[in-house]
Amino acid sequence: MSFKKQFQMNKQILNRDFVVRCIFIIYLFSLIVKYFNGGFIHQSANPILVYPTINITYWLFLLFKIPQFFTSNFYVGLFADLLLLFSCISIIIWPKKYYLALMFTLGYWLNYMCYCLVNAYQPSVYAPLIMSIPAIFKDATKFSLTFWAIRFWACFLYFEAGFLKILRGGIFNLDQMTNSIKLTISPYLVQNPSTGLNLDFKYFLITNPNIAQLLFISATILELCFLIGFFTRKYDLLLLILFLSFHIANQYILNIPFLQHQVLFACCFIPWQKLSDYVISFNKKTIPAKQY
Amino acid sequence: MNFAKYLRHCYTHFKYLFWMIIIVLSGSLVTCFVTLQSIWPFFAYSLYAFPEKNEKEYSSVEIIVNKKPFNFYNELPQDVAVCLESSMSNYIYLRKNNFTDIYYSKLTEERNISIPQFLDPIFKYHNLSDEKFSKWVKEYIELHSTHKVKSLKFNEIYISYNPKAEIVKRVNVF
């Protein structure tokens, strides 16, 4: 390999252990939120309905009766949940143990399939399913390349979401935002007759479809901005801000949960190189060198 | 680093990943632009991409626990409340069809597609009953709240906006 190529490649290689630790700390946080939202397998109380959806991966899991087996027995579910939690904490302590990452990834896929079984199919909560995959690779180069692949993937997904809103016509429907709010949170609104800033804002959008639609168009433009990510990483911090704004607004307006799922995609836009350099230099300053 | 440069690096250092990216990307593009209506790609973020119709009424469910309306969106964690509502709506749909209808036919009719028959054993219900379903709801509520459920009643409700959301019709399910 030429010197120039080697140099370019070195710039893309991340501090594996540092990044893995940080990603799994975010995982741990999201798992805690998930627990308090009843998203663990043992919290499903042996569901008797199967939510069907047209997705081949989900069908395969159902066909082999894997989620049904884990949700049908409280202790089996609890064991799977504990294993997931244990592997998450272990990776934070031992980031080099790649088999723990493999165990965690399999565990999370299982958890997700069981979650779909009881909690309706969620097509938009897959960030935790793929964010742990880079940690399976021990080698820093392979880890970094897989990590960047996920980053490009995240950019593609958000850009695609904006593009589909144009292609499928959602953006041209003048009542799209108002109807989406009504469709998503009607029972929530009925059960909350009192007023409050959050509720007032929701009603404001329902009664002002033009302003609501303007918000929908802004969200579409915001999603389209993720195309920048394909050309440069210079604006990743901006993309991170856009990403957080988009999901916080979604949570606030449409009650779409964020912290237990998609929050993991934030990892894609964090300036890891700068952050790890800063942490290393900070450690060097604060921890004196050993005296021999 | 732009995507083209990244792919070049990938091809040099990690060929398996390179081919994986090519396959996944082309698969996603096909599902996004050709089959999104029929087969949902696993990795697609297409919420609210299709125009939402104007509806006069929105149907939902009401649970009466111990003879009092149970505000599950206030008293349960958000995901649990969503799950309860979704499961109950689906159960009401099944019940309306005397459990004879295959659960996924609603989806297949909406999207005008056919589903392979080998999936029938997964989605066909044979022993579903009100007792079994209410037993699960009872256990689920008790697991996630402090309520002791002695009696349980389900209503299908229709919500209208005037301009605030209000229940305009109630139909007792059981």
Side-chain angles (χ1 to χ4, degrees):
Chain A
M1 198 194 312
S2 69
F3 174 75
K4 196 182 163 191
K5 261 193 176 176
Q6 183 75 55
F7 177 72
Q8 275 179 344
M9 191 57 220
N10 283 345
K11 280 207 305 189
Q12 314 307 330
I13 293 175
L14 296 162
N15 182 342
R16 186 190 176 280
D17 291 357
F18 176 76
V19 178
V20 168
R21 270 202 179 110
C22 294
I23 290 175
F24 280 88
I25 286 170
I26 300 176
Y27 261 119
L28 188 62
F29 166 73
S30 82
L31 284 177
I32 292 167
V33 178
K34 203 177 172 70
Y35 174 77
F36 286 106
N37 270 283
F40 276 94
I41 300 173
H42 75 278
Q43 293 174 307
S44 59
N46 190 6
I48 56 167
L49 292 182
V50 173
Y51 191 88
T53 192
I54 301 172
N55 182 300
I56 298 159
T57 329
Y58 182 57
W59 281 353
L60 273 176
F61 268 82
L62 289 181
L63 199 61
F64 290 111
K65 303 206 170 183
I66 300 167
Q68 292 95 319
F69 170 72
F70 280 90
T71 51
S72 62
N73 190 311
F74 175 82
Y75 293 103
V76 175
L78 186 67
F79 177 72
D81 291 335
L82 287 174
L83 218 59
L84 185 74
L85 203 64
F86 161 78
S87 53
C88 183
I89 295 166
S90 307
I91 301 165
I92 297 169
I93 303 166
W94 302 292
K96 281 193 173 66
K97 310 272 182 202
Y98 64 96
Y99 54 85
L100 287 171
L102 187 65
M103 196 166 95
F104 179 84
T105 308
L106 292 174
Y108 211 103
W109 276 73
L110 178 70
N111 177 285
Y112 176 77
M113 291 302 161
C114 296
Y115 180 73
C116 289
L117 194 73
V118 66
N119 199 351
Y121 173 63
Q122 304 283 333
S124 55
V125 295
Y126 41 73
L129 295 177
I130 56 173
M131 212 57 233
S132 61
I133 291 175
I136 293 170
F137 299 102
K138 223 168 149 183
D139 175 57
T141 311
K142 285 183 178 174
F143 166 80
S144 306
L145 285 170
T146 320
F147 180 87
W148 297 128
I150 291 173
R151 180 198 163 274
F152 281 119
W153 186 245
C155 291
F156 170 73
L157 286 172
Y158 284 88
F159 168 73
E160 176 216 34
F163 188 67
L164 281 176
K165 284 186 179 82
I166 298 169
L167 191 75
R168 301 291 169 189
I171 199 167
F172 306 113
N173 177 19
L174 292 177
D175 293 325
Q176 180 74 355
M177 189 68 192
T178 311
N179 290 347
S180 301
I181 298 172
K182 285 179 182 174
L183 186 77
T184 317
I185 56 165
S186 284
Y188 168 82
L189 292 174
V190 160
Q191 292 182 17
N192 286 283
S194 59
T195 52
L197 193 62
N198 189 346
L199 278 176
D200 287 347
F201 186 63
K202 283 177 170 114
Y203 275 119
F204 173 76
L205 292 177
I206 288 169
T207 46
N208 294 282
N210 291 338
I211 295 172
Q213 189 58 13
L214 212 62
L215 209 65
F216 188 76
I217 294 168
S218 317
T220 309
I221 295 168
L222 185 152
E223 288 174 324
L224 291 174
C225 285
F226 280 84
L227 185 67
I228 304 168
F230 273 88
F231 301 102
T232 178
R233 285 213 317 262
K234 270 184 208 162
Y235 303 107
D236 274 13
L237 212 56
L238 174 74
L239 292 182
L240 180 67
I241 294 165
L242 291 180
F243 169 83
L244 293 174
S245 326
F246 176 73
H247 280 290
I248 291 166
N250 265 349
Q251 167 91 58
Y252 191 74
I253 299 167
L254 290 160
N255 290 0
I256 297 175
F258 166 55
L259 290 176
Q260 59 265 52
H261 308 295
Q262 287 299 83
V263 68
L264 263 303
F265 264 156
C267 299
C268 295
F269 307 109
I270 292 171
W272 290 113
Q273 278 132 325
K274 280 182 192 167
L275 204 65
S276 62
D277 288 349
Y278 174 76
V279 171
I280 289 164
S281 63
F282 181 78
N283 282 346
K284 273 182 187 167
K285 275 180 204 166
T286 50
I287 304 164
K290 273 184 182 175
Q291 299 290 315
Y292 293 100
Chain B
M1 180 170 53
N2 63 37
F3 190 55
K5 265 187 191 170
Y6 167 78
L7 280 182
R8 232 184 310 153
H9 282 310
C10 234
Y11 190 76
T12 321
H13 298 281
F14 199 0
K15 271 208 181 72
Y16 288 123
L17 182 66
F18 172 82
W19 289 114
M20 187 76 100
I21 291 168
I22 299 295
I23 292 165
V24 170
L25 204 59
S26 24
S28 300
L29 289 172
V30 170
T31 45
C32 285
F33 299 114
V34 184
T35 66
L36 184 68
Q37 184 69 17
S38 52
I39 307 281
W40 277 344
F42 193 65
F43 297 110
Y45 198 71
S46 56
L47 275 176
Y48 309 115
F50 292 93
E52 298 291 350
K53 290 175 207 157
N54 286 316
E55 309 243 357
K56 276 187 181 171
E57 288 168 358
Y58 293 85
S59 67
S60 182
V61 289
E62 186 182 50
I63 312 176
I64 314 288
V65 173
N66 303 337
K67 296 181 181 168
K68 278 181 192 163
F70 179 50
N71 284 354
F72 48 92
Y73 271 102
N74 286 328
E75 296 188 40
L76 296 175
Q78 190 188 351
D79 284 10
V80 176
V82 171
C83 161
L84 254 189
E85 196 209 340
S86 156
S87 295
M88 288 179 64
S89 301
N90 290 327
Y91 183 76
I92 290 168
Y93 170 79
L94 272 170
R95 201 175 182 276
K96 273 183 187 168
N97 294 290
N98 296 323
F99 306 111
T100 52
D101 191 6
I102 303 169
Y103 189 23
Y104 55 65
S105 70
K106 188 164 73 170
L107 288 167
T108 54
E109 276 164 23
E110 275 172 11
R111 295 176 183 204
N112 194 24
I113 54 157
S114 56
I115 284 181
Q117 274 194 338
F118 68 84
L119 288 166
D120 279 4
I122 300 171
F123 295 125
K124 264 186 181 172
Y125 290 102
H126 298 289
N127 303 313
L128 210 55
S129 63
D130 292 350
E131 289 74 36
K132 278 189 181 176
F133 184 70
S134 44
K135 185 176 170 261
W136 174 74
V137 174
K138 183 178 173 285
E139 279 174 21
Y140 199 58
I141 292 173
E142 285 181 352
L143 186 71
H144 295 285
S145 70
T146 50
H147 285 274
K148 274 270 154 231
V149 184
K150 285 172 193 160
S151 73
L152 207 57
K153 209 175 126 187
F154 302 133
N155 291 330
E156 188 179 10
I157 54 167
Y158 293 90
I159 299 162
S160 189
Y161 286 82
N162 299 308
K164 290 222 162 186
E166 44 188 49
I167 301 169
V168 287
K169 201 169 123 191
R170 277 186 179 87
V171 180
N172 180 240
V173 181
F174 66 88

